[in-house]
């Protein structure tokens, strides 16, 4: 049981790192955060739901691996990276976001239940219900940004 939990936690860490690497390595400067949220951000969604809904290309509340792949490509990532990132993200997050009673766990990510994918090693920038916590977000930069106070370098983000 413990080994299984550690494997799940490792997959979650990999998915977070893949998103960070996406922005820093292959997509930097090609799209703004405002553009990521512009299409379909709804007032009744939490900030975390708005954040991930960029990848819900058809806005049906379910993010398929193909939609995640298309989202990574849309922000300028290479095809190979987009494929690997989509597989990693869905492998790590989808089982946590399946509706209650869904067996076996499927590979689609359900936007409504994305808050279930938050885990103990998260930064706390989103609370357990998916709401944005500005203080925790600012704390990341206070704690880790040493070269530029308003940005994280790749080594600062990964280590």
């Amino acid at each position: 049981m413990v080994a299984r939990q550690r494997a799940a936690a490792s997959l979650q860490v990999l998915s977070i790192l893949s998103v960070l690497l996406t922005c820093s390595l292959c997509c930097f400067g090609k799209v703004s955060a405002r553009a990521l949220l512009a299409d379909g951000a709804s007032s009744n969604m939490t900030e975390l739901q708005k954040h991930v809904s960029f990848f819900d290309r058809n806005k049906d509340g379910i993010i398929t691996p193909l939609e995640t792949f298309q989202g990574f490509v849309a922000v300028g990532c290479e095809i190979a990276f987009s494929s690997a990132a989509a597989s990693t993200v869905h492998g790590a997050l989808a089982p946590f976001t399946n509706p209650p009673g869904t067996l076996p766990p499927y590979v689609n990510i359900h936007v409504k239940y994305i808050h279930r994918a938050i885990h103990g090693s998260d930064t706390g920038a989103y609370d357990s219900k998916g709401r944005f916590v500005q203080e925790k977000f600012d704390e990341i930069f206070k704690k880790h940004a040493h070269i530029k106070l308003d940005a994280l370098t790749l080594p600062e983000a990964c280590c």
Side-chain angles (χ1 to χ4, degrees):
M1 184 70 170
V2 173
R4 189 179 213 178
Q5 289 173 335
R6 286 183 183 160
S10 296
L11 284 173
Q12 288 176 336
V13 169
L14 284 173
S15 67
I16 292 166
L17 287 176
S18 69
V19 171
L20 287 172
L21 290 173
T22 299
C23 294
S24 60
L25 295 177
C26 67
C27 308
F28 184 74
K30 296 182 181 179
V31 66
S32 68
R34 183 177 304 241
L36 291 175
L37 293 176
D39 61 339
S42 173
S43 62
N44 62 349
M45 295 173 79
T46 66
E47 288 83 354
L48 182 57
Q49 289 171 330
K50 290 176 188 177
H51 177 75
V52 301
S53 71
F54 167 77
F55 292 96
D56 185 9
R57 310 307 282 175
N58 62 4
K59 303 302 176 204
D60 66 352
I62 299 170
I63 305 169
T64 65
L66 178 60
E67 288 175 310
T68 301
F69 170 81
Q70 292 169 337
F72 278 115
V73 170
V75 295
C77 295
E78 299 291 331
I79 291 174
F81 178 86
S82 298
S83 179
S87 297
T88 302
V89 167
H90 281 265
L93 301 181
F96 296 101
T97 69
N98 286 172
T102 304
L103 290 176
Y106 295 98
V107 296
N108 294 333
I109 294 173
H110 294 260
V111 175
K112 180 178 180 179
Y113 300 110
I114 192 64
H115 65 280
R116 293 181 181 169
I118 296 173
H119 52 89
S121 65
D122 274 333
T123 61
Y126 293 103
D127 69 11
S128 63
K129 295 187 179 175
R131 297 176 300 222
F132 182 69
V133 181
Q134 183 70 46
E135 297 80 24
K136 291 289 190 178
F137 182 74
D138 293 339
E139 189 178 299
I140 296 167
F141 293 93
K142 288 178 188 169
K143 186 175 180 181
H144 299 287
H146 303 294
I147 297 171
K148 293 178 78 178
L149 297 180
D150 63 344
L152 295 175
T153 64
L154 184 58
E156 291 170 337
C158 293
C159 302

